[in-house]
Amino acid sequence: AFERGSLEAKALPLLKILVFKRASSSPYALMTTVNRMLAKRAVSDPKAAERLVSTVRSFLGVDFGDYALDVEPDEFINEFLEHASFMLSDEDAEELSSLLEQARRMVESGGDSKLKALLSLLESVVAEGLKAVVFTEYKDTLEYVYAYLAKAKPEWRLLRLSSEETRNPDAFNRIRETFERDPKAQILLATDVVAEGVNMQVANILVNYEVPWSVIKLEQRIGRVWRLGQKRSVEAY
């Protein structure tokens, strides 16, 4: 038991929840998280960890849909992990190492059933000449999904939007115009850090690669596709 109000009492539950959320997103996101946690166990910075507790809580909270982000959640989550992982016990580290090995085997063997289900759905989208937006909370997961689809379907014109692209006006405008105007650019992968300037109602298929805990965030995503100017029925997965 930890003293009420202590850093351990506040931070350790958040570490466990973050591992769970990242695992439910993708095995690759879990790998990057656990690798960072194990690598940073020897680093001690309680003040920095304390400072980030409220930010991580706001991300996990149901009101996160109203939380304006100009960075990816990955960025402040990774910072929190770097400063808080010193609290992990040897038993925690052993369990995390086991999870890491499971995630690594899944990624290397191609045994991710959710990824395969996404590919099957998008094959139908492309065959019907439609457009789809695939949202994920994490940039790590976006990169994982993008790499898989690019390898499985090199003939597809895939687009991606994360903070990396939105911070570069030229890259952002190029992606925006391509998705809006090119009928062959049918799949857009995006994190929630997406500028309002993207005309997403050119797509009528929305995929939440993992369901956000905030209902507000879920509604915001659907509202990016199901809005004025939409000419088709919208399907949200």
Side-chain angles (χ1 to χ4, degrees), residues 122-213:
L122 295 181
E123 284 175 336
S124 299
V125 170
V126 171
E128 293 176 28
L130 304 176
K131 293 198 177 197
V133 179
V134 180
F135 272 111
T136 178
E137 285 189 313
Y138 302 116
K139 186 178 176 183
D140 284 340
T141 296
L142 182 146
E143 292 172 349
Y144 169 68
V145 173
Y146 184 90
Y148 176 85
L149 294 177
K151 183 177 180 180
K153 296 291 180 178
E155 70 274 18
W156 287 1
R157 186 163 191 187
L158 298 170
L159 299 173
R160 49 168 285 165
L161 270 181
S162 67
S163 59
E164 183 178 336
E165 289 78 25
T166 57
R167 289 170 181 168
N168 182 330
D170 291 337
F172 171 72
N173 287 328
R174 184 170 60 251
I175 293 167
R176 175 180 59 80
E177 291 176 4
T178 299
F179 189 58
E180 292 176 8
R181 300 176 184 179
D182 187 348
K184 293 183 179 180
Q186 294 175 259
I187 310 297
L188 173 65
L189 307 174
T191 62
D192 290 306
V193 184
V194 177
E196 289 295 326
V198 183
N199 174 14
M200 288 192 172
Q201 64 265 38
V202 297
N204 70 306
I205 307 296
L206 173 70
V207 181
N208 297 287
Y209 196 70
E210 68 284 285
V211 180
W213 288 6

Side-chain angles (χ1 to χ4, degrees), residues 9 21 31 35 39 54 58 63 66 68 72 86 114 130 147-148 165 228 235:
K21 273 188 71 70
M31 281 177 56
N35 266 324
S54 62
S58 69
D63 61 340
D66 291 331
E72 305 286 357
F86 73 90
K114 184 165 68 169
L130 304 176
Y148 176 85
E165 289 78 25
L228 189 65
E235 298 176 14

